[in-house]
Amino acid sequence: MSHTIHHLLVLAIFIGMLFPAVSADISAVQELPRVHILATGGTIAGNANSSTDTVHYRPGEIGVDVLIDSVPEIRQYTRVTGEQVCNINSDDITPAIWLNLSRRINAVLADPGVEGVVVTHGTDTLEETAYFLNLAILSEKSVIITGSMRPATALSADGPMNLLNAVRLAASEDARGKGVLIALNGEINGARDTTKSNTQSVQTFSSPDLGLFGYVKDGKPMIYRTSARKNTLSSEFNLSSLTALPRVDIVMTYPGMDSVAMDAFSGRGSQGIVVAAMGNGEYPAVIQPALEAAALKGIPVVISSRTGSGITSVKDPRFISADTLTPQKARILLMLALTKTNNRDRIAGMFRNY
Ligand code: ASP
C-alpha cells in the first residue's frame, strides 16, 4: 500500500471516529434505492402568476431539477436522479414522444443499479401514455406515472405529495411486476383500466369498471389487486427499432352523424379505425358502408363504447371488439397491434389478451 493511500485511510478512520453520525448517514444514503424521474411537463410543472390561479397557468414550465428540489423529503427515501424528456402540455404529446420515452425507460431500467422510474406527466393524456408504456416497457421493475391537477405555484398544490408518493412507490418492491402504475391523490391505479374522470378535481383518476389497485397510506404502498391482462415483460411488442407508429383514428358517434369523418380519415391514410360506438357497440347505419369498405381494404375496425365501462359487443364479424378498453386506449393497442399484423383474427386475439 502506498504511503498516500495509507494516510488517506488513517484520515478516513479518524473522521469516522470524530463524526460517527456523518459517516453512518453517508452509508445510509448509499443504500437507499435509486429512482430515476423522467419529466415530460404538465400541470405538475405548471406556473401561474398567482397562487390562487388554478386555470390560467402555463403547464410544462418548471424543470425536473426544481421539481425534485421542491420536495426534499424524496431524498430521505431514495437516491433520486432526473432527466427532462420534454416540457409540454400533455395535450401536445405525440406517438414520437411515446417511442422516445419508452426507449429511454427501457435503457434506464436495464441499469442494475436502478430500482424503478417515475414519469411526471400532464393529466389530460396521462392514461394514454401509461397504457402505451404498459405495453412497451420490457422490464418488471416499477414504472410509476404521476402528475397533478393544481399547478406547482398554487395554494395546496397536489404535485409535491403526488411526486413523493410516486417515488416511494417506485422504490418499493411491491410495485414490481404489476405493469405501469398511476399514482395520484393517494390512490394506485393500473394503466389499462384507469381514466381521467373529472376536469378539475384532484380526485380525477379512477378505474370505474374494474377498480383501483390500492392506496399509498402514509407513504407506504398498500396494493390489493392487479390486472390479469398482459403487460410489460409478457407483452409481445418490441418497439426498439421503430421511428413512427401506424396512424389510427377514432370516429365519434352521435345522432345525425354522417360518414364525413370516416371518409376524411381514409383519405389521410388511416391504417386502423376505432369507433367510439353507442351503448353496447351500436352506431348509426349511415356509417356501415364506410366501415365495411375499410375492413375490406385490410384496415382493421375496432368497436369500442362511449359509455365508459363494460365489454363492447360486435355484431359484424368483420370488425373487432375493444373488449373493455375505452376508445382512446383501444387506439393505443391497435397502433401497437398494427406494428405486427393487420390480420383481423390476430388483432382480435390481442384485444382479448392486453
Ligand atoms: N393540460 C394539462 C396537461 O395535461 C393538465 C394537467 O396536467 O393536469 O398537461
Side-chain angles (χ1 to χ4, degrees), residues 22-317:
V22 173
S23 47
D25 256 14
I26 291 170
S27 56
V29 167
Q30 278 162 355
E31 279 157 26
L32 290 176
R34 183 162 158 228
V35 170
H36 189 65
I37 300 180
L38 297 106
T40 69
T43 297
I44 193 167
N47 227 340
N49 295 335
S50 107
S51 62
T52 51
D53 194 340
T54 55
V55 176
H56 303 104
Y57 59 90
R58 299 165 302 277
E61 273 204 353
I62 294 172
V64 65
D65 293 337
V66 177
L67 276 188
I68 294 172
D69 288 343
S70 66
V71 193
E73 293 81 356
I74 287 177
R75 293 203 161 87
Q76 287 172 22
Y77 303 101
T78 56
R79 283 176 298 137
V80 71
T81 48
E83 89 182 61
Q84 196 78 47
V85 176
C86 54
N87 209 355
I88 58 174
N89 188 346
S90 79
D91 305 68
D92 296 321
I93 287 280
T94 61
I97 295 175
W98 286 335
L99 284 172
N100 177 36
L101 182 62
S102 64
R103 262 198 282 279
R104 271 303 296 148
I105 295 175
N106 279 326
V108 169
L109 293 180
D111 177 345
V114 174
E115 198 66 39
V117 305
V118 168
V119 177
T120 59
H121 200 288
T123 58
D124 289 349
T125 61
L126 187 150
E127 63 196 82
E128 277 134 297
T129 299
Y131 189 48
F132 176 83
L133 296 176
N134 197 49
L135 304 176
I137 298 305
L138 309 166
S139 168
E140 62 164 7
K141 290 185 182 176
S142 39
V143 179
I144 316 299
I145 184 159
T146 192
S148 77
M149 291 298 284
R150 296 185 185 134
T153 44
L155 272 181
S156 299
D158 51 333
M161 185 61 99
N162 284 347
L163 187 62
L164 178 62
N165 281 345
V167 169
R168 293 189 70 179
L169 182 58
S172 135
E173 283 276 311
D174 301 358
R176 290 173 78 96
K178 299 187 170 60
V180 173
L181 301 176
I182 297 173
L184 278 96
N185 207 33
E187 292 193 352
I188 303 168
N189 279 280
R192 182 186 184 278
D193 306 314
T194 303
T195 193
K196 184 173 182 178
S197 61
N198 189 287
T199 54
Q200 295 193 33
S201 167
V202 293
Q203 180 47 43
T204 188
F205 284 96
S206 62
S207 308
D209 208 9
L210 299 165
L212 83 172
F213 283 9
Y215 299 99
V216 180
K217 180 181 173 290
D218 294 335
K220 292 207 173 54
M222 312 284 286
I223 297 183
Y224 302 88
R225 56 175 295 277
T226 57
S227 171
R229 294 304 178 102
K230 288 185 176 191
N231 59 70
T232 55
L233 269 191
S234 59
S235 160
E236 69 198 86
F237 306 110
N238 187 339
L239 311 174
S240 54
S241 58
L242 289 183
T243 53
L245 289 172
R247 178 180 178 131
V248 172
D249 292 296
I250 300 174
V251 177
M252 185 58 163
T253 59
Y254 45 88
M257 75 181 297
D258 54 25
S259 65
V260 164
M262 264 307 291
D263 297 341
F265 291 145
S266 305
R268 291 301 287 268
S270 269
Q271 289 168 262
I273 293 291
V274 172
V275 181
M278 298 153 168
N280 187 16
E282 314 273 340
Y283 44 82
V286 69
I287 63 167
Q288 177 69 12
L291 297 180
E292 274 177 30
L296 214 63
K297 276 197 277 175
I299 298 171
V301 174
V302 172
I303 310 292
S304 62
S305 173
R306 49 177 218 171
T307 59
S309 64
I311 303 170
T312 307
S313 302
V314 164
K315 281 106 204 167
D316 188 322

